[in-house]
Amino acid sequence: MITEHFVNASVTPLGNLDTLSPHEVARLQDRSNSGLHSLFRQCALAVLNTGSEMDSTRKVMHHFRRFDVQISHKFRDVQLDLINAPATAFVDGEMIQGIREHLFSVLRDLLYVQDELDSCCDEMDESGRITNLVFHILRHAGAMRPHIKPDMVVCWGGHSINRNEYEYTKKVGYELGLRKLNICTGCGPGAMKGPMKGATIAHSKQRISKGRYLGITEPGIIAAESPNPIVNELLIMPDIEKRLEAFVRVGHGIIVFPGGAGTAEEVLYILGILLRDENMEMPFPLIFTGPAESHSYFDTLDRFIAATLGERARGFYEIITGDAHAVAQRMKERLDEVTRYRKSCGESFHFNWDLTIPLALQLPFEPTHEQMAGLNLSRQQPDHQLAAQLRCALSGIVAGNVKEPGIRAIEEHGPFELYGDADVIDALSELLDAFVEQRRMKIDHEEYVPCFRLAHKA
Amino acid sequence: MITEHFVNASVTPLGNLDTLSPHEVARLQDRSNSGLHSLFRQCALAVLNTGSEMDSTRKVMHHFRRFDVQISHKFRDVQLDLINAPATAFVDGEMIQGIREHLFSVLRDLLYVQDELDSCCDEMDESGRITNLVFHILRHAGAMRPHIKPDMVVCWGGHSINRNEYEYTKKVGYELGLRKLNICTGCGPGAMKGPMKGATIAHSKQRISKGRYLGITEPGIIAAESPNPIVNELLIMPDIEKRLEAFVRVGHGIIVFPGGAGTAEEVLYILGILLRDENMEMPFPLIFTGPAESHSYFDTLDRFIAATLGERARGFYEIITGDAHAVAQRMKERLDEVTRYRKSCGESFHFNWDLTIPLALQLPFEPTHEQMAGLNLSRQQPDHQLAAQLRCALSGIVAGNVKEPGIRAIEEHGPFELYGDADVIDALSELLDAFVEQRRMKIDHEEYVPCFRLAHKA
Amino acid sequence: MITEHFVNASVTPLGNLDTLSPHEVARLQDRSNSGLHSLFRQCALAVLNTGSEMDSTRKVMHHFRRFDVQISHKFRDVQLDLINAPATAFVDGEMIQGIREHLFSVLRDLLYVQDELDSCCDEMDESGRITNLVFHILRHAGAMRPHIKPDMVVCWGGHSINRNEYEYTKKVGYELGLRKLNICTGCGPGAMKGPMKGATIAHSKQRISKGRYLGITEPGIIAAESPNPIVNELLIMPDIEKRLEAFVRVGHGIIVFPGGAGTAEEVLYILGILLRDENMEMPFPLIFTGPAESHSYFDTLDRFIAATLGERARGFYEIITGDAHAVAQRMKERLDEVTRYRKSCGESFHFNWDLTIPLALQLPFEPTHEQMAGLNLSRQQPDHQLAAQLRCALSGIVAGNVKEPGIRAIEEHGPFELYGDADVIDALSELLDAFVEQRRMKIDHEEYVPCFRLAHKA
Amino acid sequence: MITEHFVNASVTPLGNLDTLSPHEVARLQDRSNSGLHSLFRQCALAVLNTGSEMDSTRKVMHHFRRFDVQISHKFRDVQLDLINAPATAFVDGEMIQGIREHLFSVLRDLLYVQDELDSCCDEMDESGRITNLVFHILRHAGAMRPHIKPDMVVCWGGHSINRNEYEYTKKVGYELGLRKLNICTGCGPGAMKGPMKGATIAHSKQRISKGRYLGITEPGIIAAESPNPIVNELLIMPDIEKRLEAFVRVGHGIIVFPGGAGTAEEVLYILGILLRDENMEMPFPLIFTGPAESHSYFDTLDRFIAATLGERARGFYEIITGDAHAVAQRMKERLDEVTRYRKSCGESFHFNWDLTIPLALQLPFEPTHEQMAGLNLSRQQPDHQLAAQLRCALSGIVAGNVKEPGIRAIEEHGPFELYGDADVIDALSELLDAFVEQRRMKIDHEEYVPCFRLAHKA
C-alpha cells in the first residue's frame, strides 16, 4: 500500500523541551567525535524505525544510510528536520505522536547525560556515583513518581518469540493492567511490546488514562530493539549496565518471559544482586512465566541456574506457566509485600536506594575477545560473583548477535571464546543450544551462526 | 480460576450523578409496573454481565434470576447495592471501573428519558418530536461535542463473527484510530468490540487520551449484547428505532462488517433514508468491509440489495475487502467531504439535523405475528418504502432470535410468517439462508431453529 | 477614556451550551408573550451592564433601550449578536470572559426552567414540587458538588454600603478564603461583591484555582444588581422565593453584612425558617457582622427582631463587629458542626433537603397595594408566621424601590400602606427610618422618596 | 488575636521535588561553610516571614534567631521540619499553600544553582556563560513557556510606597490583567505586590486560572523583601546581577513605579543596556508611571537621567501619570511591537537571547568602601558605561540600607563615599535627597541615617 519508503519531514517538540540554549543546539549539530550529532542521528533513526523486523543495528544503519536529522539553528522554535526518514513512522504524512515524543526523549536524555557526566560529585565512591547518575537521569526525565504505591512491573523477555508466546505476554499485561499495575520493559518488540498492549486495553477498561508504559533502552541496543510507540515514557540510559540498574531500582517486581541471551543476561544480573547478603531481607518479586507450551524452556533455565548458582538462587523466583491470571494475582500479592517492607523501613516507593548493587555489576563491560576469554566461569567463587561473570558472558553474546561493534569484532576475529569449569560450561552450553534451536537468538534466524565457542578450562 | 460466580457489592457513582432527588430515588425503587426498578435491574444486569457468551436475554435473566439491585434511600450518598451480581464484572473483588460507569449511565438515561417523555412539545409534529428527543438524550448524556470536525465512525456488524473476521475488525479500528477517528458501535461483542480494541491501541500510540468509544444500545437488546467496558460513553436509547436514529445523526460515516439479521436491519435502515430524495445531496460515507475471505458474504448482501431496492441503492455504498488500511484512508477522505458539506450549508458537526428520516423508520415496530405477516414486501412501492418494510422484517427476526418478548411469541405461535412478491421473498430467503449457514444468527448456534418462514404472496 | 458607549458584537458560547435544538433557538427568538426573547433580552442586558451605578431596572432599560440580542438561526454555531451593548462589558473590543460566561448561564437557566415548569410531578405536594424544581435547576447548572464538606458561605448585605463597610466585606471574604471556604451572594455590587474579591486574593495565595463564587439572582432583581464578573457560577432562579430557597439549601452558613430592605427581607426569611419546630435540631450558622463603626446598625436590627419575633429568634444568630478574623474562625467552627450533623443523620452535603421551609415562604408574593395592605403584622400569631408576613412586607418595599412593576405601581397608586399592631409597626418604622437615614435604600439616594407608609391597625 | 508568634511545623513538598537524592539531602543538612544549610535557613525564613514590616535582614534574622529548618534524613518523604517559624505563615495552624510552594522553590533553586555552577562550559566566554546559567536556572524552574506571545510585564518600584501609590499599582495591575498580561516583580511588598493583586482580580474576571505572578529575588535581598504568597512562580537567582538579567531577558516590557535606590538601580541597569549600539533596533517597552500626585517624582528621575546619561537616554522611556488604563493600553501596543520584532528576526518569545548585556553589568559588584569609592562617576565615558557605574553606586546604597553585609560595613567604616564630577554628583545628590525626603529608602523610616556621602572629585 505504501509506495514511498523514505520521507522528509520537520517536527517541533512538545512541552518544555522546546527551549534549548544555543549551546545545546550547537552540541546537537556538532558532527565531530566530541559532538552529539552522530549518536543523536543513530538513536533518532531507531525511534523512527519502530515496527521494523530488522534487529541488527548494522542493517538498520545501512538501509537508512541516507537518513539524517538536522536541528534548526533558530532559537525561537526548536525544530528537527528529518531527511529520508522511515515512512512507517508516519500515517498519511503525519508522524505518529508517540514517535514524535520519543524523538524528543532521545534529545532530552542525550543532552542531559552529557551534562551530568561532566559534573560529578567528587566526594562519592564510584558505585554511589553511578547510582546517583541513574537517579538523576530518571528524575530529570520525570520518571520518578513519589507517593505512588509500588505498581511498576518490569517485564523481561525475548524480542523474538513465537505467536503463542506473544499472545500470552498480552494476556499477562492485560491481567496486570486490570489490577492497575504499570509496565516497564526494554521497549522493543515481542515480550517487550505484548504486555504493554494488553495493559493498554485493561487500563482503558479501568479508565486509567495515565497508565505508564516505561521503556528503558540505551544507544547500543536501541537500533536493534526500536521502542514501540505505546511506550509513553522513553528513557535512554548511557549504557547497558545503567539500563539494568534503572530496571531494578525503579521497578517493584519483575516478570520474565521466554527469551534468548539478553533475557538470560537480565536474569543473571538480578540473581547476582539478590544473592548478596545485604539484600537478603528485601522482598523482590521475580516470576518466570510463559504459556503452558513454554514449560520446557523454563525447565532448561531453572536447571542452568541450579547447576551454576546453586539451590539458593532458585529460591528467588517462582515459575508459573499457562496462567496469566495467577501470575498477575501473585505479582499483586508480592507487591503488597514490597509496599509493607518499604513502609516499615522508611524507604522510598519510587527508587530502591537500599538495594545493594556491587560495583562489578555496575561497571561497563566491554565485550572484546580478550575480555570474554578472561571471564572466570567457575564455581570456585561466591555465587553472586559467578552470576556477575555469567552476565558478562551473555552480554557479550548479545553484542555479538545484534550490536554493531560486537558484530564487527566477530567478523574480524571469529567467535568469542569462553572458558570455564566443566560443570559451568556444560550448563551454559545446554542453555545456549536451546536458544539457538528455539530460534531465540535473533528475529531473522535463517542464517544464525553462533558468535561464541565454549571450552572447558584446561 | 474464579470459584465464586455471584458477588454482592455496593458501588457509589462518579461525578455529577451522585445527586439524585428523593423523587428520583423513589422511582428507581418502585417495583410496580409504572416504576423503573424492573427495567433498571435488567439493564444493570446486562452491563455487569459483559464478556458473557450468552446472547439471549432469557438465558441471562434466568441464570442471574437471584440478581437484584437496590438503591439506598439516604440522600447523602447515592449507592447501589448489588446482590448476586456476575463475578466477571470484578477484579479481585473490585468492580472494573468501566462497568461501574456503565451502571450509572444506565441510571442516568432511564431517569432522563422518563422525564423527557413526560414533557413533550405540543407544537411539533411526531417526527420532529422524536428527533428532538433523540437530541436531548444525547445532549443530556454529554455526547454532543460541538466544533469537532466529523470524526465519529459508526461500525456495524455481527456479534457472532469468526476469529478471522474479528481480527480484521480490530485492524480496521486500529487504522481508524491512527487517523484520530473515534468509534461508535452497538456496544456488544464481535464487530462491536473489535474496532474499539484496535482504536484503543492506535489512540495510545497517538497519545489521544480522550478517544471516544461510544456505545448505543436499548433495553431490548442490551442483555443479548452486553456493552464491553472499553465503551467509555454508553447511551441507553428508549427503543431500537431511536437507537438507529442516534447512530445516523451522531455518526459521520458508517462501516459495515459481516453480520446477521441485525446488521442487515441496520443496512436497510440507512438505505431507506439515503434513498429519500431529500437526502440526495448529502454525502454519507458507507463502506462494507471484511477480510478477503468474507468477499462472498458481501456478494450475497449486494445481490440482495440489488434485487430488492435496485441499482440506485447500490450507489450509496462501497465494498472493500481485505484491506483495513484502504478502508480507513477512504473513510478519512469521505469524512473530509462531509466536513466540507456541513460547512458549506452551515450544518452542525455534532448532530445531523438535516438528514430526513421518514416517520415510517421512526415509529416503533412491534414484531407480533400479525404485524410481521402484514408487512408489504413488494417492489410495487417506492424503494425507500420497501427498505423500511424489509428493515421491519429483519427487526422482527432479531427479536425472535434474541429478545425475550420475541422468543416468547415464537414459542407460543410458531415462526413468524412473512409474505411478499416472489422476487423479494426469494432474495430475502437467499440472504437469511446464508446467515444461518454461516452461523451469524446467534452466538450459540448449536440448535438454531429459524424463527421465520417465508412465503410468496398469493 | 472610553468614547463609545454602545458596542455591537457577536459572541459564541463556551462548552456544552453550544448545542441548542432548533426548537430552543425558536423559543429564544420568539418575541411574543409566550416566547423567551423579552426575558432573555432583559437579563442579558443586566449581565452586560455590570459595574454600572444604576440600580433601577427602569433606568437601565431606558438607557439601553436600543439594546437587542439576537440568536443566529444556524444550527452549527449558536451565536449571540448583540446590538448597542454596554461598552463596559468589553476590554479593547473583546468581551470580558466572565461576562461571556454569564450570558450563557442566563440562556441555560431560562431555557431549562421553562422546560421544567412544563413537566411537573403530579404526585408531589406543592411544597415538595417547588423544592424539587430548585434542586433540578441547581443540578442542571452543575452547582451541586457532592462529597465536598460544607464550605459554602452565603454573604448577604446591601448593594449600597459605604467605603468602610465595603473594605470590611473584602477582609471577611479574605479570611474566609484563607480558610478555603467558598462564597455565595446575590451577585450584585457592595456586600455581594466585596467578599468575593477578598476571597479571590486568598484563594490565589492558597493556590485554589477552583474557588467558587456563586451568584444567585432572578429576573426581577438582576437589572438592579448586575452580577459582577468574579461570579463564576451564575444562577438565574425563576423568582425571589426560589432564589431565597436556593440560598438556604445550597449554602452551609450565612453571614449578614449591613444592608437595607433586601437584607432585612433575607434575615426575616431565614428566621422564619429557623423558628419552625421541625428545624430545631439543625445547626445553621448565622453571623451578623460589619466594621466596628456599624455596631449601631446591628443594634437596631437586633432590637427590631426582639420586638417582633421575640427573644427566641435572637438565639439563632451571633453579632460580631470589627473583627474579620474572628468572623471567619467562628464560621469555620460552626461549619464543622454542620458537617458533623449532616454525617450523623446521613444528610447530603450539597443540598439541605432536611430543612423544612413552609409553603408560606415558598409561594411567590406579588406586592400589589392590596396584598401589602392585607399583610398581618401582628404578634397574635406564631413567630414564624409573623416572620413570613414581615418578609413579604420588606419584599414589597424592595420592589417599590428598584423593581420595575413595583415602581410603576407606586407611581400609579402612591406608597404601599402597611397596617399592623402598634408594637410591630413601631419596630418596623424604626428599622426603615434607619435605612433611609443611613442611605441604604438605593445606590442613588439623592431623591429617595419612601415607597411605603406605616399605620397602626385600627 | 494571634497569641503565639512562633510555630513548629513539618511540611512535605509538592510535586516532583519530593525526590531528593541522599547526596542532596546531605548538602542541605551540611552546616559547614561549604554546605547549604545556612543559606537555605535564611531564605526559608524570608519566605515564611511574608507580610512582615521588617525590611532589614538583620532585624529579621535577629527576631527569628531561634528559627531553624531541618530536612528529614529519610529518603521516602522529603520533609522539612520548621522550628520557631513565623506564625504569620499559617492559618489556623496550617501553612498557606503559596508559602509552602515558595519554601520548595527555594530548595529547588539553591540545589540547582550549586550544581550548575559546578559544571560550566569551558568553551564559552564569561558573558555567555552567565547568560547560559540564567537561562538554565529559569528553564529548570519551569519558567520558560515557549510559543506564548510576549505577555510578561515586569513591574519595578519601591517596597515602601504610600497608600495612594499602592492603590495605583493595583489599578495598573488590574488593567494589565484585563488585557490577559502576566506580572513579574521583585516579589516583595509595595509596588512589587500591588500589580499582582490587581491582576489576580482581573484574571479571575477573565477566567484565566493560570495567570503568572513571577517573583525574582536573590538571597541577599529576600529577607528584606519577602515574597508575597500571590507569587506563584518564585525564582531565587544567585545574585543581584543575575536577578536583573533574568528580569530583562524573561520580561517583555517594563513598568516603573515610584521607588527608592533599588528602583533607580534597576532603571540605570536597563538604560545601561538600551544605550548599547547593539540593542538599538530592538523595541523594549519601558513606561514610568504613578498616580497623578507622583508626577514630581518622575520629574526628578527624568532630570537625573538627562543630567547624567543625556538626552538620548530619555528616548527609551515614556512617562504617563494618573492613568492606569492608558498605561495598560500603551504597554499592550508596545508588546505587539515586540511580538512583530521577534517574529521578524526569528527570536524566541520566552527568552531574549538577542539583547546584548555588557559584562560590566553582569559581573557581581561587591559594595565595599573601596569599590564604592573607586566608581567612575564622570561623563567622560560612554553613556552606557556611566549607567553601569551609577547602577553600582545605587546597588551599594541598597546594600547599605537593607543588606546584612552592607549594614555591617557601614557600622564599621561609616558611610560609603562616592566621588565624581560635579554635574553627576549634584544630580545624584538631588535624586537621593528626594528619596530620603519622600521616605523611599526603607519601610521603617523613623531613624533613617544615610549610608552614603557624596563628594566632588578633586
Side-chain angles (χ1 to χ4, degrees), chain C residues 92 94 97-98 179 205-207 229 231, chain D residues 92 94 97-98 179-180 205-207 229 231:
Chain C
D92 298 350
E94 203 185 332
Q97 194 69 359
R179 281 154 187 86
K205 291 189 178 182
Q206 289 287 20
R207 303 294 188 261
V231 167
Chain D
D92 299 350
E94 204 185 332
Q97 193 70 358
R179 280 154 187 86
K180 306 181 186 176
K205 291 190 179 181
Q206 287 287 19
R207 303 294 188 261
V231 167

PDB file of all heavy atoms in Angstrom, chain C residues 92 94 97-98 179 205-207 229 231, chain D residues 92 94 97-98 179-180 205-207 229 231:
ATOM      1  N   ASP C  92     -10.823  46.645  25.319  1.00  0.00           N
ATOM      2  CA  ASP C  92     -10.233  46.815  23.992  1.00  0.00           C
ATOM      3  C   ASP C  92     -11.006  46.025  22.933  1.00  0.00           C
ATOM      4  O   ASP C  92     -10.419  45.311  22.103  1.00  0.00           O
ATOM      5  CB  ASP C  92      -8.763  46.366  24.000  1.00  0.00           C
ATOM      6  CG  ASP C  92      -7.924  47.217  24.948  1.00  0.00           C
ATOM      7  OD1 ASP C  92      -8.435  48.236  25.434  1.00  0.00           O
ATOM      8  OD2 ASP C  92      -6.762  46.852  25.182  1.00  0.00           O
ATOM      9  N   GLU C  94     -12.917  43.395  23.231  1.00  0.00           N
ATOM     10  CA  GLU C  94     -13.189  41.976  23.456  1.00  0.00           C
ATOM     11  C   GLU C  94     -13.980  41.825  24.746  1.00  0.00           C
ATOM     12  O   GLU C  94     -13.637  42.432  25.763  1.00  0.00           O
ATOM     13  CB  GLU C  94     -11.851  41.239  23.595  1.00  0.00           C
ATOM     14  CG  GLU C  94     -11.921  39.765  23.285  1.00  0.00           C
ATOM     15  CD  GLU C  94     -10.573  39.105  23.570  1.00  0.00           C
ATOM     16  OE1 GLU C  94      -9.537  39.801  23.481  1.00  0.00           O
ATOM     17  OE2 GLU C  94     -10.570  37.921  23.909  1.00  0.00           O
ATOM     18  N   GLN C  97     -14.317  37.703  29.696  1.00  0.00           N
ATOM     19  CA  GLN C  97     -14.687  36.292  29.655  1.00  0.00           C
ATOM     20  C   GLN C  97     -15.777  35.942  30.682  1.00  0.00           C
ATOM     21  O   GLN C  97     -16.706  35.199  30.384  1.00  0.00           O
ATOM     22  CB  GLN C  97     -13.430  35.463  29.923  1.00  0.00           C
ATOM     23  CG  GLN C  97     -13.552  33.999  29.607  1.00  0.00           C
ATOM     24  CD  GLN C  97     -13.659  33.756  28.111  1.00  0.00           C
ATOM     25  OE1 GLN C  97     -13.662  34.681  27.299  1.00  0.00           O
ATOM     26  NE2 GLN C  97     -13.793  32.502  27.758  1.00  0.00           N
ATOM     27  N   GLY C  98     -15.654  36.502  31.872  1.00  0.00           N
ATOM     28  CA  GLY C  98     -16.632  36.204  32.910  1.00  0.00           C
ATOM     29  C   GLY C  98     -18.027  36.647  32.496  1.00  0.00           C
ATOM     30  O   GLY C  98     -19.022  35.969  32.780  1.00  0.00           O
ATOM     31  N   ARG C 179      -9.288  30.283  54.666  1.00  0.00           N
ATOM     32  CA  ARG C 179      -9.739  29.025  55.273  1.00  0.00           C
ATOM     33  C   ARG C 179     -10.389  28.091  54.239  1.00  0.00           C
ATOM     34  O   ARG C 179     -11.081  27.161  54.577  1.00  0.00           O
ATOM     35  CB  ARG C 179     -10.702  29.336  56.416  1.00  0.00           C
ATOM     36  CG  ARG C 179      -9.937  29.758  57.670  1.00  0.00           C
ATOM     37  CD  ARG C 179     -10.691  30.633  58.612  1.00  0.00           C
ATOM     38  NE  ARG C 179      -9.780  31.091  59.672  1.00  0.00           N
ATOM     39  CZ  ARG C 179      -8.998  32.167  59.570  1.00  0.00           C
ATOM     40  NH1 ARG C 179      -9.052  32.909  58.475  1.00  0.00           N
ATOM     41  NH2 ARG C 179      -8.179  32.497  60.543  1.00  0.00           N
ATOM     42  N   LYS C 205      -3.556  32.915  47.058  1.00  0.00           N
ATOM     43  CA  LYS C 205      -2.463  32.588  47.978  1.00  0.00           C
ATOM     44  C   LYS C 205      -2.515  31.121  48.400  1.00  0.00           C
ATOM     45  O   LYS C 205      -1.484  30.511  48.684  1.00  0.00           O
ATOM     46  CB  LYS C 205      -2.538  33.481  49.224  1.00  0.00           C
ATOM     47  CG  LYS C 205      -2.216  34.939  48.926  1.00  0.00           C
ATOM     48  CD  LYS C 205      -2.088  35.764  50.204  1.00  0.00           C
ATOM     49  CE  LYS C 205      -1.715  37.208  49.860  1.00  0.00           C
ATOM     50  NZ  LYS C 205      -1.531  38.040  51.071  1.00  0.00           N
ATOM     51  N   GLN C 206      -3.699  30.577  48.482  1.00  0.00           N
ATOM     52  CA  GLN C 206      -3.843  29.174  48.862  1.00  0.00           C
ATOM     53  C   GLN C 206      -3.794  28.258  47.647  1.00  0.00           C
ATOM     54  O   GLN C 206      -3.991  27.046  47.775  1.00  0.00           O
ATOM     55  CB  GLN C 206      -5.156  28.944  49.625  1.00  0.00           C
ATOM     56  CG  GLN C 206      -5.186  29.518  51.028  1.00  0.00           C
ATOM     57  CD  GLN C 206      -4.332  28.716  52.010  1.00  0.00           C
ATOM     58  OE1 GLN C 206      -3.441  27.967  51.637  1.00  0.00           O
ATOM     59  NE2 GLN C 206      -4.609  28.909  53.284  1.00  0.00           N
ATOM     60  N   ARG C 207      -3.524  28.819  46.482  1.00  0.00           N
ATOM     61  CA  ARG C 207      -3.424  28.032  45.243  1.00  0.00           C
ATOM     62  C   ARG C 207      -4.698  27.236  44.974  1.00  0.00           C
ATOM     63  O   ARG C 207      -4.633  26.090  44.542  1.00  0.00           O
ATOM     64  CB  ARG C 207      -2.244  27.074  45.301  1.00  0.00           C
ATOM     65  CG  ARG C 207      -0.917  27.725  45.546  1.00  0.00           C
ATOM     66  CD  ARG C 207      -0.519  28.609  44.384  1.00  0.00           C
ATOM     67  NE  ARG C 207       0.846  29.093  44.518  1.00  0.00           N
ATOM     68  CZ  ARG C 207       1.153  30.306  44.983  1.00  0.00           C
ATOM     69  NH1 ARG C 207       0.204  31.162  45.304  1.00  0.00           N
ATOM     70  NH2 ARG C 207       2.409  30.681  45.078  1.00  0.00           N
ATOM     71  N   PRO C 229     -18.320  40.230  37.428  1.00  0.00           N
ATOM     72  CA  PRO C 229     -17.741  39.135  36.645  1.00  0.00           C
ATOM     73  C   PRO C 229     -16.884  38.153  37.458  1.00  0.00           C
ATOM     74  O   PRO C 229     -16.462  37.139  36.928  1.00  0.00           O
ATOM     75  CB  PRO C 229     -16.865  39.849  35.602  1.00  0.00           C
ATOM     76  CG  PRO C 229     -17.326  41.264  35.589  1.00  0.00           C
ATOM     77  CD  PRO C 229     -17.865  41.544  36.944  1.00  0.00           C
ATOM     78  N   VAL C 231     -18.112  36.469  39.857  1.00  0.00           N
ATOM     79  CA  VAL C 231     -19.057  35.343  39.961  1.00  0.00           C
ATOM     80  C   VAL C 231     -18.706  34.337  38.876  1.00  0.00           C
ATOM     81  O   VAL C 231     -18.744  34.654  37.696  1.00  0.00           O
ATOM     82  CB  VAL C 231     -20.506  35.843  39.766  1.00  0.00           C
ATOM     83  CG1 VAL C 231     -21.469  34.675  39.556  1.00  0.00           C
ATOM     84  CG2 VAL C 231     -20.935  36.690  40.962  1.00  0.00           C
TER      85      VAL C 231
ATOM     86  N   ASP D  92      -4.853  29.185  61.020  1.00  0.00           N
ATOM     87  CA  ASP D  92      -5.399  28.165  61.908  1.00  0.00           C
ATOM     88  C   ASP D  92      -4.495  26.928  61.944  1.00  0.00           C
ATOM     89  O   ASP D  92      -4.963  25.781  61.856  1.00  0.00           O
ATOM     90  CB  ASP D  92      -6.809  27.761  61.473  1.00  0.00           C
ATOM     91  CG  ASP D  92      -7.786  28.934  61.516  1.00  0.00           C
ATOM     92  OD1 ASP D  92      -7.416  29.987  62.045  1.00  0.00           O
ATOM     93  OD2 ASP D  92      -8.905  28.784  61.008  1.00  0.00           O
ATOM     94  N   GLU D  94      -2.339  25.792  59.769  1.00  0.00           N
ATOM     95  CA  GLU D  94      -1.948  25.160  58.512  1.00  0.00           C
ATOM     96  C   GLU D  94      -1.197  26.179  57.650  1.00  0.00           C
ATOM     97  O   GLU D  94      -1.655  27.306  57.493  1.00  0.00           O
ATOM     98  CB  GLU D  94      -3.211  24.700  57.774  1.00  0.00           C
ATOM     99  CG  GLU D  94      -2.978  23.569  56.806  1.00  0.00           C
ATOM    100  CD  GLU D  94      -4.266  23.275  56.031  1.00  0.00           C
ATOM    101  OE1 GLU D  94      -5.359  23.528  56.576  1.00  0.00           O
ATOM    102  OE2 GLU D  94      -4.169  22.831  54.880  1.00  0.00           O
ATOM    103  N   GLN D  97      -0.706  27.728  51.408  1.00  0.00           N
ATOM    104  CA  GLN D  97      -0.194  26.886  50.332  1.00  0.00           C
ATOM    105  C   GLN D  97       0.864  27.606  49.496  1.00  0.00           C
ATOM    106  O   GLN D  97       1.875  27.024  49.120  1.00  0.00           O
ATOM    107  CB  GLN D  97      -1.382  26.465  49.448  1.00  0.00           C
ATOM    108  CG  GLN D  97      -1.092  25.367  48.485  1.00  0.00           C
ATOM    109  CD  GLN D  97      -0.880  24.042  49.193  1.00  0.00           C
ATOM    110  OE1 GLN D  97      -0.923  23.950  50.415  1.00  0.00           O
ATOM    111  NE2 GLN D  97      -0.596  23.010  48.425  1.00  0.00           N
ATOM    112  N   GLY D  98       0.640  28.875  49.208  1.00  0.00           N
ATOM    113  CA  GLY D  98       1.587  29.626  48.396  1.00  0.00           C
ATOM    114  C   GLY D  98       2.952  29.702  49.082  1.00  0.00           C
ATOM    115  O   GLY D  98       3.995  29.637  48.428  1.00  0.00           O
ATOM    116  N   ARG D 179      -6.200  42.723  30.232  1.00  0.00           N
ATOM    117  CA  ARG D 179      -5.660  42.505  28.883  1.00  0.00           C
ATOM    118  C   ARG D 179      -4.885  41.206  28.794  1.00  0.00           C
ATOM    119  O   ARG D 179      -4.102  40.986  27.891  1.00  0.00           O
ATOM    120  CB  ARG D 179      -4.797  43.707  28.502  1.00  0.00           C
ATOM    121  CG  ARG D 179      -5.677  44.874  28.028  1.00  0.00           C
ATOM    122  CD  ARG D 179      -5.063  46.215  28.206  1.00  0.00           C
ATOM    123  NE  ARG D 179      -6.067  47.240  27.877  1.00  0.00           N
ATOM    124  CZ  ARG D 179      -6.954  47.710  28.773  1.00  0.00           C
ATOM    125  NH1 ARG D 179      -6.932  47.285  30.014  1.00  0.00           N
ATOM    126  NH2 ARG D 179      -7.854  48.601  28.385  1.00  0.00           N
ATOM    127  N   LYS D 180      -5.072  40.347  29.803  1.00  0.00           N
ATOM    128  CA  LYS D 180      -4.512  38.988  29.807  1.00  0.00           C
ATOM    129  C   LYS D 180      -2.989  38.984  29.875  1.00  0.00           C
ATOM    130  O   LYS D 180      -2.340  38.032  29.430  1.00  0.00           O
ATOM    131  CB  LYS D 180      -5.011  38.194  28.599  1.00  0.00           C
ATOM    132  CG  LYS D 180      -6.544  38.196  28.535  1.00  0.00           C
ATOM    133  CD  LYS D 180      -7.096  37.414  27.375  1.00  0.00           C
ATOM    134  CE  LYS D 180      -8.617  37.598  27.318  1.00  0.00           C
ATOM    135  NZ  LYS D 180      -9.235  36.944  26.177  1.00  0.00           N
ATOM    136  N   LYS D 205     -11.780  37.626  36.599  1.00  0.00           N
ATOM    137  CA  LYS D 205     -12.887  38.057  35.732  1.00  0.00           C
ATOM    138  C   LYS D 205     -12.721  37.530  34.315  1.00  0.00           C
ATOM    139  O   LYS D 205     -13.696  37.294  33.619  1.00  0.00           O
ATOM    140  CB  LYS D 205     -12.963  39.591  35.708  1.00  0.00           C
ATOM    141  CG  LYS D 205     -13.414  40.181  37.031  1.00  0.00           C
ATOM    142  CD  LYS D 205     -13.710  41.668  36.903  1.00  0.00           C
ATOM    143  CE  LYS D 205     -14.197  42.215  38.256  1.00  0.00           C
ATOM    144  NZ  LYS D 205     -14.521  43.649  38.185  1.00  0.00           N
ATOM    145  N   GLN D 206     -11.472  37.391  33.903  1.00  0.00           N
ATOM    146  CA  GLN D 206     -11.217  36.880  32.553  1.00  0.00           C
ATOM    147  C   GLN D 206     -11.122  35.353  32.549  1.00  0.00           C
ATOM    148  O   GLN D 206     -10.780  34.752  31.520  1.00  0.00           O
ATOM    149  CB  GLN D 206      -9.927  37.485  31.978  1.00  0.00           C
ATOM    150  CG  GLN D 206     -10.055  38.942  31.586  1.00  0.00           C
ATOM    151  CD  GLN D 206     -10.865  39.152  30.319  1.00  0.00           C
ATOM    152  OE1 GLN D 206     -11.634  38.288  29.894  1.00  0.00           O
ATOM    153  NE2 GLN D 206     -10.707  40.309  29.711  1.00  0.00           N
ATOM    154  N   ARG D 207     -11.393  34.730  33.685  1.00  0.00           N
ATOM    155  CA  ARG D 207     -11.346  33.261  33.790  1.00  0.00           C
ATOM    156  C   ARG D 207      -9.984  32.702  33.392  1.00  0.00           C
ATOM    157  O   ARG D 207      -9.897  31.662  32.738  1.00  0.00           O
ATOM    158  CB  ARG D 207     -12.424  32.611  32.929  1.00  0.00           C
ATOM    159  CG  ARG D 207     -13.825  33.051  33.240  1.00  0.00           C
ATOM    160  CD  ARG D 207     -14.255  32.609  34.612  1.00  0.00           C
ATOM    161  NE  ARG D 207     -15.659  32.871  34.851  1.00  0.00           N
ATOM    162  CZ  ARG D 207     -16.110  33.938  35.535  1.00  0.00           C
ATOM    163  NH1 ARG D 207     -15.277  34.812  36.035  1.00  0.00           N
ATOM    164  NH2 ARG D 207     -17.393  34.085  35.740  1.00  0.00           N
ATOM    165  N   PRO D 229       2.626  35.785  48.984  1.00  0.00           N
ATOM    166  CA  PRO D 229       2.191  34.458  48.534  1.00  0.00           C
ATOM    167  C   PRO D 229       1.405  34.439  47.226  1.00  0.00           C
ATOM    168  O   PRO D 229       1.131  33.367  46.711  1.00  0.00           O
ATOM    169  CB  PRO D 229       1.300  33.958  49.680  1.00  0.00           C
ATOM    170  CG  PRO D 229       1.626  34.824  50.845  1.00  0.00           C
ATOM    171  CD  PRO D 229       2.067  36.133  50.284  1.00  0.00           C
ATOM    172  N   VAL D 231       2.668  35.453  44.514  1.00  0.00           N
ATOM    173  CA  VAL D 231       3.707  34.971  43.597  1.00  0.00           C
ATOM    174  C   VAL D 231       3.527  33.466  43.421  1.00  0.00           C
ATOM    175  O   VAL D 231       3.598  32.715  44.388  1.00  0.00           O
ATOM    176  CB  VAL D 231       5.109  35.259  44.179  1.00  0.00           C
ATOM    177  CG1 VAL D 231       6.186  34.498  43.425  1.00  0.00           C
ATOM    178  CG2 VAL D 231       5.388  36.754  44.159  1.00  0.00           C
TER     179      VAL D 231
END
